[in-house]
Amino acid sequence: MHSRHLNAILMAVTIVLASAIVGFRPLNAGYDTKGYVEAYELLDKSFVESFLVIKQYFGVSIEPFFWGYAWLLNSFGLTSKEFLFCTALISISLTGLVYRKIDPKFFFISFLGVLFSGSYINLYGNAIRQGLAMPFFLLALYHGMNGSNIKVIIYAVITFLFHQFTGLLAVLIFLPRLLPFRFYGIIWLSTFVLTFIIKLGLFNFVPGIAQYLKGSSWAYLIHPTYLEFPIYSYLVIRLKLREDWMFYRIFKFVAVVFLVQTLFVFNIYAYNRIGLLRFILEPIIYTRIILSIKPIKAASQIAILVFFIYGAFIFFSQTVQDTLSSTPSGQQ
């Protein structure tokens, strides 16, 4: 489609529908929603009083942008349901706008890849602080790829004030400059061996390691994630995609995130939070790979179809349904 107005309308409709799917979930849905709702309903006092209550209730003391935003919505009289929908709408809209800066040529197709992933459900329908922080992280990444270190720091600080863990991950933006790509394969294999050794318990003598390993699973060590990096590398080289410098910078960043995520495979919280950075950018890689395979004339349509089929499969999975459905009272 070549009409700017039609593209804008289609993008707006897509964002509203995506926001409705996660924004209109039950108030006791999934894992974190109930906690956010309870915290939001405590913000009916002055800003300082509300901030002290949130600090005590939610254990957060350095994310004033998110809770300030929530307090502002509460002050305007928005209900908890309206708070969840507005947060989803604002987060997804901002992410879409930044995606257009990062991937201007194919942003709509690759953004559909984000919305058709299970990570979209988790990011905007569960981990909503990270969801609202993500557009600012992507802005930091965008300016990092263009060499503007000052803007990277500014947007990293903003990200930190929305979601501290995501803000700290902004340091990863600088790693592709320091890490030659030819070493990535060796590091990938090393991280796999290291996590395997840790899981076997050979480092149990380290103080606190048992608590750190709590909740980890052998399933993560045989996760398909481990196969993605070598497959990506082969296709990027085979299809000569390194000639697209902006794409190649995104690819190198995703590779760095993957390697760091692998190091935290034994800590599920960190593993999943780091992984969301990778999942939100990987559709750009998928899109480029599909559009580069010749002689497919309908590559764009095929990309959308692949994303749609994958999205349908993910949406009806048990994990996503648990995130969007009411939690049984005995499990809350």
Side-chain angles (χ1 to χ4, degrees):
M1 292 176 295
H2 301 287
S3 168
R4 286 181 56 195
H5 298 295
L6 184 58
N7 279 334
I9 292 172
L10 189 59
M11 185 71 171
V13 171
T14 301
I15 287 173
V16 171
L17 289 175
S19 302
I21 289 173
V22 294
F24 291 140
R25 65 192 182 278
L27 296 182
N28 64 336
Y31 310 99
D32 295 344
T33 299
K34 185 174 181 290
Y36 279 115
V37 168
E38 290 179 354
Y40 179 75
E41 292 174 351
L42 294 173
L43 299 175
D44 56 352
K45 308 169 183 60
S46 70
F47 179 74
V48 174
E49 289 177 303
S50 295
F51 190 81
L52 293 175
V53 170
I54 290 299
K55 179 179 178 181
Q56 181 178 6
Y57 176 83
F58 221 74
V60 175
S61 59
I62 47 178
E63 295 175 340
F65 279 16
F66 179 84
W67 294 110
Y69 149 82
W71 176 83
L72 196 61
L73 292 190
N74 191 301
S75 299
F76 285 131
L78 272 68
T79 65
S80 296
K81 279 186 172 291
E82 292 166 339
F83 161 67
L84 294 179
F85 176 74
C86 282
T87 303
L89 181 62
I90 293 171
S91 301
I92 295 173
S93 299
L94 290 177
T95 303
L97 289 173
V98 179
Y99 231 75
R100 186 164 189 165
K101 290 176 70 71
I102 293 177
D103 189 29
K105 191 173 182 181
F106 303 110
F107 82 95
F108 183 68
I109 298 177
S110 53
F111 187 60
L112 283 180
V114 174
L115 299 183
F116 284 143
S117 71
S119 300
Y120 141 73
I121 301 292
N122 187 28
L123 189 59
Y124 303 114
N126 184 57
I128 61 176
R129 281 178 296 151
Q130 190 172 16
L132 197 54
M134 191 60 72
F136 301 99
F137 182 92
L138 292 176
L139 279 172
L141 174 63
Y142 172 77
H143 290 294
M145 291 189 299
N146 285 284
S148 180
N149 294 335
I150 298 298
K151 290 183 179 179
V152 172
I153 295 171
I154 291 173
Y155 284 112
V157 170
I158 295 173
T159 303
F160 183 85
L161 294 175
F162 273 108
H163 187 249
Q164 60 189 41
F165 189 81
T166 307
L168 291 174
L169 291 176
V171 70
L172 300 181
I173 295 171
F174 297 104
L175 290 186
R177 305 179 192 176
L178 306 175
L179 191 61
F181 193 74
R182 60 182 178 275
F183 295 127
Y184 282 31
I186 298 173
I187 297 172
W188 170 76
L189 183 60
S190 301
T191 55
F192 178 81
V193 173
L194 176 61
T195 53
F196 195 81
I197 290 174
I198 291 174
K199 186 58 182 173
L200 284 175
L202 299 184
F203 287 164
N204 283 354
F205 64 90
V206 177
I209 192 71
Q211 182 65 27
Y212 200 55
L213 289 169
K214 187 178 180 181
S216 63
S217 168
W218 280 104
Y220 279 80
L221 287 173
I222 55 173
H223 197 278
T225 303
Y226 280 108
L227 300 176
E228 292 180 22
F229 177 72
I231 291 173
Y232 285 166
S233 299
Y234 171 77
L235 290 173
V236 167
I237 295 171
R238 179 72 177 81
L239 299 172
K240 300 180 180 178
L241 290 172
R242 287 185 295 182
E243 296 172 6
D244 182 342
W245 285 106
M246 181 60 76
F247 164 79
Y248 192 52
R249 289 169 185 165
I250 293 172
F251 176 77
K252 289 181 67 177
F253 175 75
V254 169
V256 165
V257 172
F258 170 78
L259 294 172
V260 173
Q261 184 190 16
T262 305
L263 288 171
F264 287 90
V265 72
F266 43 84
N267 184 281
I268 292 177
Y269 173 82
Y271 181 86
N272 290 333
R273 287 291 183 265
I274 296 170
L276 286 174
L277 303 183
R278 184 167 59 84
F279 297 142
I280 205 167
L281 290 166
E282 281 182 340
I284 296 176
I285 298 174
Y286 301 153
T287 299
R288 287 294 196 286
I289 289 174
I290 293 173
L291 296 184
S292 298
I293 297 175
K294 306 296 183 183
I296 299 177
K297 295 182 180 180
S300 298
Q301 292 88 332
I302 291 174
I304 293 175
L305 180 61
V306 168
F307 288 150
F308 181 82
I309 293 173
Y310 176 71
F313 177 79
I314 292 293
F315 183 78
F316 290 106
S317 68
Q318 189 59 49
T319 302
V320 168
Q321 292 306 308
D322 288 345
T323 303
L324 296 179
S325 303
S326 295
T327 305
S329 57
Q331 299 180 18
Q332 292 177 355

